[in-house]
Amino acid sequence: MPLEIIGITVLWTFLYGYLIVASIDFGAGFFSYYSMVTKQEHIINQVINRYLSPVWEVTNVFLVFFFVGIVGFFPDTAYYYGTALLLPGGIALLLLSIRGSFYAFANYGARKSRTYMFLYGMTGLFIPASLSTVLTISEGGFIEKTGEYIRFIPWKLFTSPYSWSVVFLSLVSVLFISASFLTYYAFKAKDSQAMEALRKYALAWSGPTLVASVGVFAALSQHNPGHFSNMLDMAWMFLLSLLCFQGAVWLIWKRKALGWSFILVMFQFAFAFFGYGASHLPYLLYPYVTVQSALTNSVMGTALVVAFIAGLLLLIPSLILLMRLFLFSAKYVQGEK
Amino acid sequence: MDPATLSRILTAETLAFHIIWATIGVGVPIFISLAEGWGIYKKDNHYILMARRWTRGFVITVAVGVVTGTCIGLMLSLLWPRFMQLVGNLISLPLFLETFAFFFEAIFLGIYLYTWDRFKKPIIHWLTSIPIIIGSSLSAVFITTVNAFMNTPAGFEVGKDGGFTNFQPLEAMLNPATPTKVAHVLSSAYVTCAFLLAGIAAWHLLKGKRSLYFKKALKLTMIGGFILALLTALAGDLSGKFLAEHQPEKLAAAEWHFETQKKAPLILGGWLDENNEVKGAIEIPYALSILGKGTPNGEIKGLNEFPKDELPPLYVHYLFDGMVAIGSYLILIGAIFLFLWWRKKNPWEKPWVLRGIVWAAPLSFIAIELGWMYAEIARQPWIIRGFMKVTKAATTAEHVGVLLVIFTLLYASLAVIAVSVLIRMFKGKNPEKELEERGIIL
Ligand code: HDD
Ligand code: HEM
Ligand code: HEM
């Protein structure tokens, strides 16, 4: 495989990892605040806290890994996106900072504060929205290059139907992924009250997820027909995604095999995300940057791949340990320890 | 103001804020691990409680460290896109490795926090503190190699078009500045945390809490603090020798050393008149030659040998002096404490000693800030010394000013809230009460 494909695959996989773990985390924050406002916190908060507390920091690292990695493999992206994304990137950073620190303040601090919970819960919804605009921008049309000067046109972004369809999709998928995971987690914790509440959320957000996905397809066909036709060539990926989605919703509906239903959700998003990514290639930014044009030299690329593999050998055992201690330890999940 | 100036202010502000929390993140795990290990070995629950209390405060500071670190990581691309385009691929190896180190640390911090009473053998819980230390110290090592690279770039060749070619990522990481910088950054982070924790213990003793717990905490941290203060000064001395050889203009700027000469004196304080004559300073004969070359006869390059437009601002002299003065103070206060203890004079009962230790805590943070300001400002006007000037690296985007305002507000509120959360966390929760509550473990 050519180096640029290995590089982008590694990075895309990490971004996918972030998509899943961060969605769980963002959604959980929102549900936790929502239940506090509707005075139902006693039902689901325990489950949410048990899961979140040990892993919140790990989530953030996935994102850092992605943006460090992309500049490493494709230095030109720093120049184009860096210049263009100053404001949107700055806002995403602000939200991430508020969320990260207030999570710690709210949960490790001496008392729960409503304001902290609010900041923590609501930023979780805005972050996916602001991060997803990076994908929107990558479709082209929002960045102009005149000579050496690169300019971002925010006005176009705000009035583009495509951009809003992506924002909507990111919001509903966050809530759907999160609710389907927490349903499973509550089930493992043998907390049937929480499970019923979360199951309702999951089902409620499944419909909008479907609608939003269709909306993105429609809007993209208008915004970037070239990319859209590439996607049609890979239609099987998206069909498999749809199948997984149906399977997952059916299992949640029937309260059966909830672990499998979450795995199906993961597959649903994997197919869609990798289908989207593969059809996006070779462009990193339409029409200026491709993976070939931006690629770092081969010595560096190889060094990065080696570092990545060595790092994974270290991390996978540690992650397994973390999961065994907190996710798959029946005693911990049920709150005995 | 132009985007370049605003970018510099925002970068400086973010780094100056991050370094406070990052330093705590690097140093405090060492002492948590020491306390828990000693407590298990001696079967002394005071030390175990110490580790628990320090950890509880630590998670709050780590959170601020993580979010501000994420800010810098992304801001490097947002504010310095040209810099990242030019060397992003070179320095991304250490940045990449740093991320792995964080990952490793984050995972084990999660485990450490939530498994206090889960293992039958306490030693297993203690073992999970080791990866935290390794992860946080390694991340400091990796990031410092990046900063070292900016001072003494290595591991590439300049192509015909002015771009860099023939990258050697390992050589870039192991550039000439790396060894001394890493040694000094690590030792200074450790020593700062030793005095931070010592200062807290001393403050409680001063307020009249004559408890055994704080006395033990003070002894533990002051032994560490004294040894580390010596090591920090040693590493700083080696940094001086590194500068004399590889970055002479930086050392000369710190010492207002204009003419190249042997037997150069070290200058403390003072000011410069309009002819760049040094006035009102204390001169220590030969000392600069010794700092730079290790012998009184060593020749130290002067500022007059460098092009005028490539000289750093000369006020860095005060930054350097401030750091060295504080370094000497830390050694002194550590020595006084240990001497009185050895002479059985109970230094923990002497208010003047305790007050001196309380002062050492904020002072060591000031030393960290002064040291970094000196290291960064005395690199001016370069962002990559000899290859790229700061003004050429900055973003051309408008709106940097807006970001500057937003992030200044963010850091200010994070500082206030983090401190008040910490205060609330420990208020009315003195160690004796906690030991009683935990009853069983006593
Ligand atoms: C507690 C903090 C602290 C203390 C007590 C000292 N330093 Fe320091 N110093 C630092 C914290 C620091 C630092 C923050 O870690 C710096 C900034 C950049 C760097 O590499 O380390 C630094 C930089 C730095 C440099 C510049 C290195 C470079 O740019 O490559 C020199 C020459 C010294 N120091 C020398 C000393 C000496 C002779 C000290 C005598 C006691 C001393 N420092 C105490
Ligand atoms: C030498 C000075 C520095 C030290 C000692 C240091 C150390 C640390 C520490 C201890 C953390 C918390 C990590 C954790 O617990 O997960 C942290 C976070 C971080 N730092 Fe720094 N840092 C330094 C400077 C920088 C600089 C200049 C950058 C940018 C290039 C940076 C990038 C980051 C990032 C991206 C994070 C967040 C990582 C995460 O999400 O876990 N640091 N740093
Ligand atoms: C963590 C401790 C650090 C602190 C407290 C610190 C402090 C500073 C300060 C005060 C400035 C402003 C200098 C001026 O405007 O004259 C600055 C500039 C800068 N530093 Fe550092 N620095 C640290 C480490 C690093 C590291 C490890 C990197 C490399 C990734 C770095 C990259 C930069 C850049 C890109 C600038 C802007 C360009 C410049 O003004 O030179 N810094 N920093």
Side-chain angles (χ1 to χ4, degrees):
Chain A
M1 239 199 294
L3 190 58
E4 68 267 18
I5 302 296
I6 301 182
I8 194 69
T9 309
V10 164
L11 292 172
W12 202 244
T13 308
F14 253 78
L15 198 58
Y16 169 73
Y18 182 68
L19 176 99
I20 298 293
V21 291
S23 292
I24 296 176
D25 184 77
F26 292 151
F30 177 75
F31 292 136
S32 166
Y33 176 68
Y34 178 76
S35 64
M36 182 167 165
V37 174
T38 53
K39 304 233 161 28
Q40 298 185 310
E41 61 210 280
H42 52 285
I43 301 181
I44 64 169
N45 257 14
Q46 208 205 347
V47 168
I48 289 180
N49 283 341
R50 287 240 130 211
Y51 165 73
L52 277 187
S53 303
V55 302
W56 72 276
E57 227 197 312
V58 174
T59 313
N60 196 41
V61 184
F62 272 96
L63 179 67
V64 177
F65 186 95
F66 178 75
F67 65 65
V68 168
I70 193 145
V71 174
F73 277 110
F74 308 107
D76 276 354
T77 53
Y79 179 54
Y80 283 85
Y81 281 109
T83 312
L85 289 179
L86 183 67
L87 219 45
I91 290 170
L93 256 187
L94 177 74
L95 294 171
L96 277 171
S97 310
I98 292 178
R99 193 184 142 85
S101 42
F102 282 91
Y103 177 74
F105 297 160
N107 287 278
Y108 301 129
R111 74 182 157 97
K112 290 235 170 210
S113 140
R114 270 186 101 83
T115 330
Y116 294 176
M117 292 290 286
F118 169 77
L119 284 171
Y120 161 68
M122 295 315 284
T123 46
L125 289 188
F126 288 110
I127 294 169
S130 71
L131 289 179
S132 67
T133 57
V134 178
L135 291 182
T136 309
I137 290 171
S138 75
E139 294 292 341
F142 305 105
I143 289 181
E144 253 178 23
K145 190 182 177 195
T146 33
E148 281 291 274
Y149 192 68
I150 288 168
R151 202 165 65 98
F152 170 58
I153 312 156
W155 178 78
K156 270 203 179 163
L157 188 69
F158 280 113
T159 54
S160 149
Y162 175 61
S163 147
W164 288 108
S165 72
V166 172
V167 167
F168 180 56
L169 177 63
S170 70
L171 285 183
V172 293
S173 13
V174 159
L175 295 173
F176 176 63
I177 294 176
S178 181
S180 53
F181 173 78
L182 291 171
T183 309
Y184 159 67
Y185 200 69
F187 165 75
K188 289 257 317 191
K190 299 209 170 65
D191 184 341
S192 57
Q193 241 189 335
M195 192 195 99
E196 284 306 316
L198 289 160
R199 172 178 166 271
K200 269 200 211 104
Y201 293 149
L203 290 176
W205 290 108
S206 64
T209 307
L210 193 60
V211 174
S213 319
V214 176
V216 167
F217 274 108
L220 185 67
S221 70
Q222 298 301 308
H223 184 83
N224 187 340
H227 184 186
F228 183 68
S229 78
N230 282 348
M231 269 164 122
L232 289 186
D233 292 344
M234 296 186 187
W236 61 275
M237 297 274 270
F238 300 98
L239 288 176
L240 276 179
S241 169
L242 184 65
L243 265 177
C244 293
F245 169 73
Q246 288 169 339
V249 174
W250 187 77
L251 286 177
I252 297 176
W253 178 260
K254 292 280 177 196
R255 299 187 181 81
K256 266 197 211 144
L258 291 170
W260 283 105
S261 87
F262 182 67
I263 289 176
L264 283 175
V265 170
M266 282 176 59
F267 272 111
Q268 172 205 340
F269 280 88
F271 282 122
F273 193 70
F274 281 90
Y276 169 85
S279 58
H280 202 291
L281 288 178
Y283 287 99
L284 289 172
L285 170 62
Y286 279 96
Y288 300 114
V289 190
T290 66
V291 283
Q292 286 89 9
S293 76
L295 185 68
T296 178
N297 68 310
S298 57
V299 182
M300 196 61 213
T302 316
L304 287 176
V305 171
V306 171
F308 175 77
I309 292 169
L312 272 190
L313 289 182
L314 178 74
L315 288 180
I316 290 176
S318 338
L319 267 177
I320 291 177
L321 182 62
L322 187 73
M323 302 229 267
R324 286 187 49 149
L325 282 171
F326 298 112
L327 288 188
F328 302 116
S329 153
K331 272 192 186 154
Y332 177 80
V333 176
Q334 290 167 22
E336 284 170 26
K337 285 235 170 173
Chain B
M1 271 190 270
D2 59 329
T5 312
L6 290 170
S7 299
R8 281 178 69 182
I9 299 176
L10 182 51
T11 304
E13 178 182 291
T14 307
L15 280 164
F17 190 62
H18 175 66
I19 191 61
I20 296 175
W21 313 94
T23 300
I24 296 177
V26 174
V28 168
I30 305 257
F31 289 91
I32 293 177
S33 180
L34 272 180
E36 193 191 0
W38 190 246
I40 293 172
Y41 177 66
K42 286 271 161 186
K43 300 208 170 33
D44 184 336
N45 281 309
H46 275 125
Y47 289 102
I48 309 267
L49 181 67
M50 224 175 269
R52 276 182 186 258
R53 283 170 67 99
W54 288 343
T55 310
R56 235 183 291 148
F58 179 67
V59 283
I60 301 289
T61 59
V62 164
V64 186
V66 170
V67 299
T68 52
T70 311
C71 287
I72 308 171
L74 199 53
M75 276 184 192
L76 277 180
S77 294
L78 295 177
L79 298 176
W80 309 101
R82 291 278 185 191
F83 167 71
M84 286 308 260
Q85 189 189 22
L86 186 65
V87 294
N89 44 5
L90 255 186
I91 61 173
S92 64
L93 181 65
L95 287 176
F96 212 60
L97 292 173
E98 189 202 9
T99 320
F100 274 120
F102 286 139
F103 212 156
F104 192 54
E105 179 197 347
I107 289 171
F108 279 92
L109 185 61
I111 294 177
Y112 189 80
L113 276 177
Y114 288 92
T115 56
W116 274 102
D117 300 317
R118 258 177 92 174
F119 301 110
K120 285 208 182 68
K121 288 196 188 137
I123 193 89
I124 296 185
H125 182 258
W126 176 75
L127 281 177
T128 62
S129 71
I130 306 291
I132 303 179
I133 296 180
I134 296 177
S136 61
S137 289
L138 271 187
S139 55
V141 170
F142 289 129
I143 191 65
T144 307
T145 66
V146 176
N147 184 267
F149 170 84
M150 295 162 70
N151 284 286
T152 51
F156 59 86
E157 282 164 21
V158 181
K160 288 203 188 67
D161 57 348
F164 292 179
T165 60
N166 195 10
F167 293 110
Q168 301 298 332
L170 280 181
E171 232 173 87
M173 267 176 74
L174 300 175
N175 62 71
T178 295
T180 47
K181 241 198 165 105
V182 165
H184 197 46
V185 166
L186 280 184
S187 58
S188 63
Y190 298 157
V191 78
T192 303
C193 293
F195 280 99
L196 171 70
L197 298 171
I200 295 173
W203 192 70
H204 283 284
L205 287 170
L206 257 185
K207 293 227 319 190
K209 302 217 180 81
R210 302 250 157 261
S211 84
L212 208 54
Y213 171 88
F214 287 117
K215 221 187 286 173
K216 285 179 180 169
L218 193 66
K219 286 185 194 165
L220 177 78
T221 50
M222 285 303 285
I223 296 176
F226 178 67
I227 297 172
L228 289 164
L230 287 178
L231 287 179
T232 304
L234 177 67
D237 179 61
L238 293 176
S239 296
K241 296 191 173 31
F242 152 80
L243 287 183
E245 182 162 347
H246 293 277
Q247 240 183 325
E249 76 280 9
K250 201 181 207 177
L251 186 63
E255 285 305 324
W256 290 343
H257 183 66
F258 292 94
E259 297 296 336
T260 301
Q261 74 180 87
K262 295 184 175 170
K263 303 194 170 87
L266 193 80
I267 291 170
L268 293 180
W271 66 89
L272 285 177
D273 69 6
E274 39 307 345
N275 304 324
N276 273 348
E277 296 286 331
V278 181
K279 292 273 144 77
I282 306 171
E283 278 195 20
I284 309 178
Y286 309 124
L288 181 55
S289 285
I290 294 176
L291 173 67
K293 293 282 149 114
T295 84
N297 242 337
E299 183 176 89
I300 302 292
K301 267 199 183 172
L303 288 171
N304 294 345
E305 307 223 353
F306 299 92
K308 278 253 166 338
D309 61 339
E310 286 180 11
L311 287 186
L314 289 179
Y315 64 83
V316 295
H317 174 63
Y318 300 110
L319 306 175
F320 182 74
D321 276 6
M323 168 176 68
V324 176
I326 293 172
S328 316
Y329 175 77
L330 295 183
I331 295 177
L332 183 72
I333 191 79
I336 291 176
F337 180 88
L338 294 185
F339 179 79
L340 291 177
W341 181 8
W342 174 55
R343 281 311 173 93
K344 305 229 159 42
K345 296 255 167 69
N346 294 347
W348 37 86
E349 283 166 13
K350 299 203 178 344
W352 65 272
V353 179
L354 294 176
R355 243 177 257 129
I357 296 174
V358 170
W359 274 105
L363 279 177
S364 44
F365 278 96
I366 293 173
I368 292 266
E369 297 280 348
L370 291 177
W372 275 109
M373 279 195 250
Y374 163 54
E376 299 289 301
I377 295 170
R379 191 186 61 229
Q380 300 303 312
W382 302 105
I383 190 163
I384 307 170
R385 179 174 174 270
F387 293 96
M388 185 184 230
K389 292 203 173 156
V390 171
T391 42
K392 292 271 184 313
T395 181
T396 48
E398 302 121 43
H399 313 305
V400 185
V402 183
L403 279 197
L404 180 59
V405 173
I406 295 179
F407 278 91
T408 308
L409 290 177
L410 174 73
Y411 300 146
S413 31
L414 281 186
V416 171
I417 298 173
V419 171
S420 61
V421 167
L422 282 172
I423 291 176
R424 203 169 334 118
M425 196 181 237
F426 289 103
K427 208 168 175 183
K429 270 222 152 190
N430 62 43
E432 287 75 25
K433 229 167 119 199
E434 257 190 72
L435 276 179
E436 246 169 65
E437 279 168 20
R438 295 190 182 277
I440 8 156
I441 62 165
L442 253 186

